[in-house]
Amino acid sequence: RVKLQGRNNYKLYHPAINSQATELFILENSLHHALERQEFKVYYQPQVNSSTGEITKMEALLRWQHPELGLIPPATFIPIAEETGLILPISEWVLKTACLQNKSWQQNLNLPSLSVAVNLSARQFQQPNLVDMVEQVLSETKLEHKYLELEITETVAMQDVELTRKILKELDQIGVTISIDDFGTGYSSLSYLKDFPIHALKIDQSFVRDLANGDNQTAITTAIIALAHGLNLAVVAEGVETEEQFNLLRILECEVMQGYLFSHPLSSEEATRMLRAYHPIDTPP
Ligand code: C2E
Ligand code: MG
Ligand code: MG
Ligand code: MG
């Protein structure tokens, strides 16, 4: 059988597949048909307000269920999708699916202010018609613009700051919100950050993982939270797995958290069940 390993460094243990080039070829080939064959699924992971316990937002995370190779993680197939340009139709489908899902949760579960966050890829960000595409999807799905958040990684945001400023301004003007993902892993110029019309910084999970691992390990997280508060931005901690991390982050006044402690990413059906059953009082600790 086939086994996927690591993040980018996947390995397929299959007798018929004996070189990495062949593996890549197979993945790339099947990626071309994955959309039409309905092999993608959007999973959702809640973001939780750490003082009220309320679920304010769900992040959409893409999954690829390959018929022979099994579940392939985004870290493996997104780079291939980027290189081949397939990321564009795939991303549009993710956006549409996530907006429709959020609209349905707002209406059917009586959660009128629930938002959805969707990750943007580097290639998408360079697409001249990105803003039109987003507007088109929002009007088709009838989701109010302010309930959509788009996440761009710090690295993508800093690649071409003039382009970033222009696109973020346009996205801001149509009323969607923007957050900076994996914050702390790229090289932000803080003066640019101040000028971007962004809503939130998402602290990369590598810093959250280090919390409670000993002295000095809180320094970066503390600094990012202070920076966000100083710039009047919301701050979200990613990858919160333990109560210890949760408690430390609360002391550091991080309002919003996301991670396995609250919930793994869930299928649409599981997420619906979770949202239906959820009551803020159940939040740990
Ligand atoms: P990301 O946007 O930073 O998403 C967070 C990742 O951390 C997700 O991995 C999530 O499953 C994982 N995670 C959440 N909580 C925890 C935790 O407590 N512990 C640990 N160890 N991990 C946690 P996933 O779903 O494998 O996605 C990886 C990356 O792939 C995402 O990072 C994002 O950059 C990209 N990605 C996922 N879906 C999409 C998509 O639809 N479009 C684009 N362009 N990129 C996507
Ligand atoms: Mg993200
Ligand atoms: Mg992240
Ligand atoms: Mg990431």
Side-chain angles (χ1 to χ4, degrees), residues 113-220:
S113 56
L114 185 70
S115 299
V116 68
V118 178
N119 293 283
L120 285 185
S121 80
R123 179 98 171 225
Q124 251 186 312
F125 204 64
Q126 292 151 0
Q127 251 337 75
N129 66 356
L130 170 68
V131 182
D132 292 339
M133 187 274 280
V134 171
E135 263 197 306
Q136 176 68 33
V137 168
L138 284 168
S139 89
E140 269 175 46
T141 59
K142 300 191 173 64
L143 180 69
E144 237 186 289
H145 295 199
K146 65 176 174 184
Y147 298 118
L148 173 64
E149 181 160 296
L150 296 172
E151 298 191 359
I152 59 162
T153 65
E154 182 185 21
T155 309
V156 169
M158 291 301 152
Q159 260 163 19
D160 178 346
V161 287
E162 279 318 310
L163 179 71
T164 300
R165 196 204 308 275
K166 179 179 164 285
I167 296 171
L168 295 190
K169 206 173 142 195
E170 287 175 25
L171 288 171
D172 185 53
Q173 276 165 353
I174 67 166
V176 303
T177 61
I178 298 134
S179 62
I180 306 291
D181 205 353
D182 302 349
F183 191 80
T185 57
Y187 299 90
S188 271
S189 165
L190 299 183
S191 54
Y192 288 122
L193 202 60
K194 176 172 69 68
D195 292 339
F196 291 158
I198 53 178
H199 164 74
L201 301 181
K202 297 190 77 178
I203 307 170
D204 190 69
Q205 51 192 52
S206 58
F207 304 117
V208 174
R209 199 173 308 133
D210 284 346
L211 285 177
N213 271 352
D215 302 333
N216 293 326
Q217 300 299 332
T218 56
I220 295 174

Side-chain angles (χ1 to χ4, degrees), residues 7 45 59-63 73-75 78 82 87 91 94 118-122 124 151 153 181-182 202 204-205 209 238-241 258-261 263 265:
R7 279 174 72 86
Q45 189 181 36
E59 179 175 2
L61 294 159
L62 185 58
R63 298 288 177 264
I78 299 252
E82 286 261 358
I87 192 71
S91 304
V94 173
V118 178
N119 293 283
L120 285 185
S121 80
Q124 251 186 312
E151 298 191 359
T153 65
D181 205 353
D182 302 349
K202 297 190 77 178
D204 190 69
Q205 51 192 52
R209 199 173 308 133
E238 294 193 275
V240 181
E241 293 184 359
Q258 185 178 350
Y260 297 166
L261 178 65
S263 171

Side-chain angles (χ1 to χ4, degrees), residues 37-138:
R37 291 181 185 163
Q38 302 184 314
E39 292 167 5
F40 290 117
K41 265 195 159 189
V42 180
Y43 272 53
Y44 299 89
Q45 189 181 36
Q47 286 185 12
V48 179
N49 179 310
S50 63
S51 25
T52 64
E54 198 189 353
I55 294 174
T56 50
K57 197 173 292 168
M58 302 290 270
E59 179 175 2
L61 294 159
L62 185 58
R63 298 288 177 264
W64 181 19
Q65 185 68 49
H66 189 284
E68 286 107 42
L69 305 178
L71 195 68
I72 302 176
T76 299
F77 71 83
I78 299 252
I80 306 172
E82 286 261 358
E83 269 163 47
T84 53
L86 289 167
I87 192 71
L88 298 173
I90 296 172
S91 304
E92 191 171 335
W93 177 83
V94 173
L95 186 65
K96 201 167 167 178
T97 304
C99 289
L100 272 176
Q101 178 66 79
N102 199 64
K103 180 80 188 170
S104 145
W105 281 331
Q106 287 181 332
Q107 291 180 330
N108 301 332
L109 302 184
N110 192 25
L111 296 167
S113 56
L114 185 70
S115 299
V116 68
V118 178
N119 293 283
L120 285 185
S121 80
R123 179 98 171 225
Q124 251 186 312
F125 204 64
Q126 292 151 0
Q127 251 337 75
N129 66 356
L130 170 68
V131 182
D132 292 339
M133 187 274 280
V134 171
E135 263 197 306
Q136 176 68 33
V137 168
L138 284 168

